[in-house]
Amino acid sequence: MSERTFNVGLLGHGTVGAAFVELLRDRADQVAAVTGLRPELSGVLTRSRGDFDEILEASDLIVEVIGGVEPARDYVLRAMQAGKHVVTANKLLLSQHGEELWAAAREHDVQLRYEAAVAGVVPVIRVLNESLGAAHVDRIHGIVNGTTNFILSEMARTGAAYEDALADAQQLGYAESDPSDDVSGRDAAAKMAILARLAFNTPVHLDDVRYEGIEHLTPEDMEYAHELGLGLKLIGTAERVDGGISVRVHPAFLYGGHPLASVDGPFNAVTIESPAITEVTLSGPGAGGPQTASAVLGDVVSAMIPPASTPPTIDDLPIVTDVESAFYLYLEVADRPGVLAQVAELLGMQGASIKSVVQKGLGDNARLVMVVHPLLESRFFAAVELIGRLDFVRAKPRAIRVIEEQFS
Ligand SMILES: NC(=O)c1ccc[n+]([C@@H]2O[C@H](COP(=O)([O-])OP(=O)(O)OC[C@H]3O[C@@H](n4cnc5c(N)ncnc54)[C@H](OP(=O)(O)O)[C@@H]3O)[C@@H](O)[C@H]2O)c1
């Protein structure tokens, strides 16, 4: 087979960019054997090196691994306007400007690929776009942030406090020195916005995603959860609800039989549910230079072969903000007769019933920990507000959602 050159311009030479350069060098022969085209680097842009226009001119495809919104958005748009394919790992950009960018890709008949933007090397974008392209997806649950999954796994494994587990994660390179986007849930929210857009064919912006982080979780939550048969994860959910969709990220307890319950450490996993297939779970390393570069190179290879594009949205589904959930409720109470009965009554007035309960301690140090059957979140929080005002409640009640489904 005669071999032509396929020129790849690289924007960004940090963790992912540098790993991509190395991988491209190692795998060029293999890519040439598969595609008949030999990929070659046509230029590298950083803040101190390279010229965008020259790189663009010399490239068939642009890889964007700068991160952030600007100037990444401007470069990606200009590349597509010039008729070049683009591969990006940039979830923040796609979750805020995805529709504009996908429309530009369609208009200029180029490919915009972004497998590395969600769950690192786990091929969830490809599966949603291609393998399940015709499936009616009802729900996606995902562990899409490796930093928080590592921290929660460490807290569960060692009983460490959140701050200590975060320090360990930073030392081992699983968390950045400024971990705020990860631990606040914002990074996961951006990824869930992208997955929801693809799964439901409706516009979803990062601002549509409610998110909550893991900073407030304590070793006690882990301990009690363990007794109740639960494990704690930061879960992203995108689901159809009442003719609309809900996309959210929050810590959630899972029973041991859930496919995501055993995903530990810096790994990511995504469960896709659809009536025709029950559920499919994909898991693997969610971040890291070489891993992310591998997803980027996979997209480059795909772009070298057949055309593909993200189609326009076909629905405009409303975003639903009040959804049903089961809850874990942690109360510090004075140990007096009738405490559980009063809590149960306030919950009952909002239609909540208790599924299981653990009671520990004596005197003013008693703990009442329970799992409540699913109900609308607004009703549950209304009950918790009233419970927090009872005179025997010693500290602000803590509530964490519980995902009840188990698959076998
Ligand atoms: N790291 C991961 O594990 C991972 C995983 C999945 C997705 N991603 C995504 O991949 C992207 C890159 O992440 P990263 O960790 O590789 O970032 P990084 O290590 O911070 O590298 C960023 C690179 O972009 C360059 N850059 C920044 N601003 C620029 C500008 N205005 N003009 C030109 N170049 C600029 C930097 O140049 P200088 O060298 O001059 O500073 C640096 O080379 C992000 O979108 C991130 O969300 C990363």
Side-chain angles (χ1 to χ4, degrees):
M1 197 192 286
S2 73
E3 225 179 60
R4 280 187 299 115
T5 300
F6 186 87
N7 291 307
V8 178
L10 178 64
L11 313 183
H13 192 257
T15 307
V16 179
F20 178 76
V21 171
E22 212 166 295
L23 190 65
L24 191 65
R25 196 181 307 128
D26 284 356
R27 306 302 295 164
D29 285 348
Q30 174 70 16
V31 175
V34 171
T35 63
L37 296 170
R38 174 162 294 273
E40 270 180 20
L41 214 54
S42 47
V44 177
L45 183 78
T46 68
R47 275 177 282 223
S48 57
R49 147 187 185 203
D51 176 86
F52 175 72
D53 290 310
E54 278 173 21
I55 294 171
L56 185 60
E57 176 71 30
S59 303
D60 297 303
L61 178 150
I62 293 291
V63 167
E64 184 277 306
V65 283
I66 291 175
V69 171
E70 293 294 356
R73 173 180 159 275
D74 180 52
Y75 289 153
V76 168
L77 278 171
R78 282 164 60 192
M80 293 193 292
Q81 282 156 5
K84 314 290 165 115
H85 302 306
V86 172
V87 172
T88 177
N90 194 333
K91 57 239 160 190
L92 267 188
L93 177 62
L94 290 169
S95 65
Q96 295 177 81
H97 298 278
E99 295 312 324
E100 178 191 23
L101 298 175
W102 289 312
R106 292 191 299 271
E107 184 187 342
H108 299 286
D109 203 18
V110 294
Q111 298 185 44
L112 171 60
R113 290 190 169 263
Y114 46 95
E115 188 66 72
V118 181
V121 76
V122 183
V124 60
I125 301 294
R126 202 170 258 101
V127 166
L128 278 174
N129 254 335
E130 296 171 21
S131 322
L132 298 180
H136 179 89
V137 176
D138 277 333
R139 180 161 58 185
I140 297 177
H141 273 145
I143 295 175
V144 290
N145 182 277
T147 304
T148 46
N149 203 50
F150 176 84
I151 293 171
L152 294 178
S153 302
E154 281 304 285
M155 287 173 71
R157 192 176 66 82
T158 64
Y162 162 75
E163 292 76 12
D164 297 332
L166 170 61
D168 282 353
Q170 284 169 322
Q171 206 170 13
L172 291 167
Y174 293 129
E176 293 178 27
S177 51
D178 176 5
S180 23
D181 265 4
D182 291 321
V183 299
S184 68
R186 182 173 149 88
D187 173 88
K191 293 166 177 168
M192 292 310 297
I194 296 170
L195 290 182
R197 155 63 172 89
L198 268 189
F200 306 134
N201 266 309
T202 190
V204 184
H205 190 279
L206 176 58
D207 293 346
D208 296 325
V209 185
R210 286 180 303 134
Y211 60 89
E212 184 186 311
I214 63 164
E215 303 100 314
H216 60 294
L217 301 174
T218 69
E220 284 81 29
D221 290 326
M222 299 289 186
E223 201 183 311
Y224 285 104
H226 186 69
E227 286 188 34
L228 292 162
L230 299 163
L232 189 54
K233 303 286 177 195
L234 184 70
I235 298 288
T237 301
E239 64 181 344
R240 296 183 189 273
V241 188
D242 299 336
I245 58 162
S246 164
V247 190
R248 53 195 194 271
V249 171
H250 47 63
F253 286 115
L254 299 167
Y255 284 96
H258 194 282
L260 301 185
S262 56
V263 177
D264 282 330
F267 271 61
N268 279 195
V270 177
T271 297
I272 304 164
E273 295 172 39
S274 164
I277 57 163
T278 312
E279 60 96 18
V280 166
T281 301
L282 302 157
S283 69
Q291 293 84 348
T292 310
S294 162
V296 170
L297 183 57
D299 272 352
V300 172
V301 172
S302 295
M304 290 164 82
I305 320 171
S309 71
T310 298
T313 53
I314 51 173
D315 275 324
D316 194 7
L317 302 174
I319 304 287
V320 178
T321 52
D322 197 12
V323 293
E324 284 207 342
S325 178
F327 280 92
Y328 156 103
L329 178 62
Y330 176 103
L331 300 172
E332 290 178 30
V333 295
D335 189 16
R336 287 192 213 145
V339 163
L340 179 57
Q342 278 193 62
V343 169
E345 192 187 337
L346 287 176
L347 286 169
M349 281 163 59
Q350 292 293 342
S353 61
I354 296 171
K355 176 175 178 175
S356 49
V357 65
V358 178
Q359 200 165 357
K360 279 215 173 142
L362 287 171
D364 274 357
N365 272 330
R367 307 270 189 280
L368 198 55
V369 183
M370 62 193 75
V371 174
V372 173
H373 284 296
L375 75 161
L376 272 182
E377 292 186 0
S378 57
R379 303 199 68 168
F380 175 76
F381 286 118
V384 171
E385 169 75 27
L386 294 176
I387 290 168
R389 289 193 216 152
L390 293 170
D391 66 344
F392 55 76
V393 174
R394 295 282 176 254
K396 191 166 181 275
R398 261 209 322 278
I400 297 171
R401 291 160 184 85
V402 176
I403 291 172
E404 292 215 295
E405 290 90 351
Q406 306 196 42
F407 299 93
S408 53

